Amino acid sequence: MPRKLTIKSPIDGATVGTVPRRSPRDVRAAYARLSAAQRDWEDVPRSERLRTVGLLASTLRKHRRELADLLVREIGKTPSEAEAEVLRTADLVDGTVREARRLRPETIRDRRHRGRVQTVDREPLGVVLAISPFNYPINLSISKLAPALAMGNTVLWKPSTQGSVVAARFVRRLYAAGFPRRLLTLITGRGGELGEALVDDPACAMVAMTGGTETGQWIARRAGLVPLLLELGGNDPAIVLADADLDLAAKHIVGGAFKLAGQRCTAVKRVYVVRGAADRLVRKIDAEVGRQFGSVGDPREHPIGPVIDDAAAKRQRRLIAAAKRQGARVIRGGTVRGRYVEPTVLDRVPHRSPVVGEEQFGPVLPIVRVKDVDEAVRLANDTEYGLQASIFTRNAPRAKRLASRIEAGGVHLNGPDQRAPDDFLFTGHKASGLGAQGIRFALERMSQPKAIVTNP
Ligand code: NAP
């Protein structure tokens, strides 16, 4: 087996870099080292620990151009998407440090026995396994590393294979800035080859993973009683009612559907519009795609780059073809050349079409026309996923009532699906995840409560 993996760019197939192809034996050795280091790390005073965590932010800022350039070549992001990811992540680290500094033990008094008091503090778990996906290799990794380290854990980081060159560069720069190597190990290699060693090791005290639902379910079945934080797939609907501001709806739906070539867990992946508003909305969406995402090509020159690999492009081709066979009308796009998928808008798509039912993860937007709001809600909920959703209507009380009927971890009223800002709670219901992200929630999840009872 070759001991290195060569990572190619989705833009043009050029080599971005090589990374070590680690083995299960390497995983076991890394756990042993991280486990030993963790015991000392949790004894380091909090202020010093948080200063060390702050190095994550300063390294990101100092090397933002270099890291953003790698994100462009390795993932196919536009330069502005890439730089925004790096800088937003540095802010997230700052927020994590601020929030961790504020954490205080909680005191609970026994009402029946005077003077009897329980103090609840938070302890680290041990070694946290952080597994990240390809679409935000920096943000969805460091949003795990920072809270885990801040709470006194050490971290074994398994990045997505496509995304491991930028991860390796970041770690190299971090160590060079003085971050102690013993606290964080990057383990590159194929998830399929390393999964059992990563999850089964007795030193694995928690799995924090973002990725596909199938991978998450495999991890959950294997992990037993180890705490989990899983952010998995989504198939986010946007519901547009007759009284909606259609310009606003079109703008946010298009931004939500096509950014990063639709490869975001919180991308708008299907639209349900009531019939009375459908013709106007479709026209506005078409025009808005032209305005925001007029062309596809090298992301350094076009607003939409490639999808991540050939398999992803093939999936888009299959889904578009199936929708057409089922009677969908192609309003725009529909062509796939290599890994480049034209921004595609499909109208009059039947709800049962796979482009609506599957997480398509590409720049393709199916629009389903419905007779009324009840049908929209029923179809929006007719999925295994439950990440986020958006509702567009001018009637605010009605929007709130509808939000409570949507089976999702978060609902946006008259705005785009997104996880930002990073202190907001972010969670998936149903097959979209387990546990909650968001700065404070992640700090809690990556530690365990410990109660000490004082008797008078
Ligand atoms: P993926 O194929 O599930 O991979 C995610 C990570 O898991 C990668 O690091 C992968 O490594 C690793 N992995 C694969 N098999 C494994 C195993 N058996 N044991 C341990 N680790 C394993 O997902 P992806 O294609 O990178 O990302 C896209 C998916 O992520 C979409 O479904 C998207 O919705 C979801 N996502 C969710 C959120 C959220 O917040 N809910 C955010 C972003 C993305 P390799 O790369 O080496 O296979």
Side-chain angles (χ1 to χ4, degrees):
M1 192 166 80
R3 301 308 304 152
K4 281 195 183 312
L5 292 169
T6 301
I7 310 300
K8 308 267 188 192
S9 173
I11 299 174
D12 52 11
T15 297
V16 182
T18 57
V19 291
R21 182 177 193 166
R22 298 290 182 200
S23 68
R25 209 163 125 196
D26 296 327
V27 171
R28 286 191 287 278
Y31 268 122
R33 285 193 305 271
L34 288 162
S35 210
Q38 193 274 327
R39 289 186 274 279
D40 295 335
W41 175 236
E42 73 172 278
D43 289 337
V44 171
R46 177 159 60 178
S47 56
E48 196 184 322
R49 226 166 47 210
L50 294 179
R51 255 199 312 280
T52 303
V53 174
L55 289 174
L56 295 166
S58 48
T59 303
L60 286 168
R61 292 198 176 98
K62 184 167 173 203
H63 300 285
R64 69 172 192 277
R65 292 258 149 70
E66 180 187 22
L67 297 170
D69 177 57
L70 276 176
L71 284 172
V72 170
R73 291 193 285 131
E74 191 171 12
I75 309 300
K77 295 186 178 228
T78 65
S80 63
E81 284 167 347
E83 186 149 334
E85 176 176 349
V86 177
L87 293 179
R88 169 190 170 184
T89 308
D91 292 345
L92 180 153
V93 175
D94 291 345
T96 303
V97 166
R98 260 196 316 273
E99 194 66 35
R101 207 176 277 136
R102 277 204 289 266
L103 291 178
R104 296 279 177 272
E106 206 182 316
T107 304
I108 305 170
R109 293 184 192 287
D110 183 341
R111 291 213 194 96
R112 290 160 309 167
H113 301 98
R114 277 188 65 164
R116 196 161 180 262
V117 170
Q118 184 187 59
T119 309
V120 182
D121 207 350
R122 303 209 68 88
E123 283 191 338
L125 294 153
V127 185
V128 169
L129 169 62
I131 302 179
S132 46
F134 80 82
N135 58 347
Y136 287 92
I138 289 288
N139 185 266
L140 292 174
S141 304
I142 293 169
S143 61
K144 300 171 178 50
L145 270 51
L149 291 161
M151 296 311 280
N153 306 285
T154 52
V155 179
L156 183 61
W157 174 15
K158 156 70 185 95
S160 167
T161 294
Q162 191 78 31
S164 50
V165 174
V166 69
R169 185 69 59 88
F170 170 71
V171 167
R172 177 138 54 99
R173 299 293 181 218
L174 186 67
Y175 290 161
F179 187 90
R181 283 172 181 259
R182 64 183 188 284
L183 303 180
L184 169 68
T185 303
L186 182 77
I187 201 102
T188 51
R190 300 261 178 227
E193 291 167 10
L194 300 178
E196 291 178 12
L198 288 167
V199 179
D200 292 357
D201 198 287
C204 174
M206 176 188 189
V207 186
M209 178 266 186
T210 303
T213 292
E214 226 175 277
T215 313
Q217 283 169 335
W218 183 89
I219 289 172
R221 275 195 297 274
R222 235 177 141 97
L225 288 181
V226 168
L228 298 174
L229 178 50
L230 301 177
E231 305 182 319
L232 307 177
N235 191 4
D236 294 4
I239 294 178
V240 184
L241 302 187
D243 68 349
D245 176 338
L246 295 182
D247 290 309
L248 182 93
K251 179 169 143 231
H252 290 315
I253 287 171
V254 168
F258 295 100
K259 217 185 304 166
L260 190 50
Q263 302 168 108
R264 294 162 54 244
C265 57
T266 55
V268 174
K269 298 202 177 83
R270 49 201 174 116
V271 174
Y272 297 98
V273 54
V274 293
R275 280 189 197 123
D279 286 341
R280 280 174 299 141
L281 181 73
V282 169
R283 271 199 305 278
K284 284 176 192 292
I285 284 182
D286 182 25
E288 194 63 43
V289 178
R291 250 192 306 276
Q292 290 189 44
F293 300 99
S295 60
V296 61
D298 186 320
R300 288 163 287 208
E301 288 150 25
H302 297 266
I304 295 197
V307 291
I308 197 68
D309 55 23
D310 294 342
K314 200 169 153 200
R315 187 167 66 244
Q316 307 311 312
R317 200 179 286 123
R318 168 175 69 77
L319 293 171
I320 294 168
K324 279 177 16 191
R325 274 198 307 278
Q326 291 170 312
R329 279 183 44 204
V330 181
I331 300 296
R332 171 181 277 269
T335 311
V336 180
R337 288 188 198 87
R339 288 178 292 273
Y340 291 89
V341 182
E342 265 189 289
T344 298
V345 179
L346 302 169
D347 186 19
R348 298 179 187 275
V349 185
H351 169 73
R352 66 174 191 290
S353 179
V355 74
V356 177
E358 290 179 26
E359 183 190 29
Q360 85 267 48
F361 232 58
V364 179
L365 181 65
I367 300 173
V368 180
R369 295 176 176 226
V370 293
K371 71 172 186 303
D372 58 20
V373 59
D374 288 331
E375 186 180 17
V377 172
R378 181 172 60 76
L379 297 182
N381 287 339
D382 180 27
T383 169
E384 65 170 319
Y385 298 108
L387 195 57
Q388 296 211 328
S390 49
I391 299 174
F392 294 90
T393 166
R394 284 195 170 91
N395 184 332
R398 187 184 196 198
K400 286 204 177 138
R401 280 198 305 278
L402 277 179
S404 68
R405 291 171 61 196
I406 300 290
E407 297 165 0
V411 182
H412 296 263
L413 309 180
N414 298 309
D417 286 22
Q418 55 181 317
R419 43 183 298 155
D422 286 304
D423 22 17
F424 276 15
L425 176 134
F426 181 77
T427 185
H429 290 181
K430 295 159 82 176
S432 287
L434 203 63
Q437 277 276 18
I439 288 173
R440 181 164 64 76
F441 308 97
L443 287 168
E444 284 175 7
R445 192 78 177 178
M446 296 199 178
S447 55
Q448 53 191 342
K450 168 77 161 278
I452 296 179
V453 177
T454 314
N455 288 288

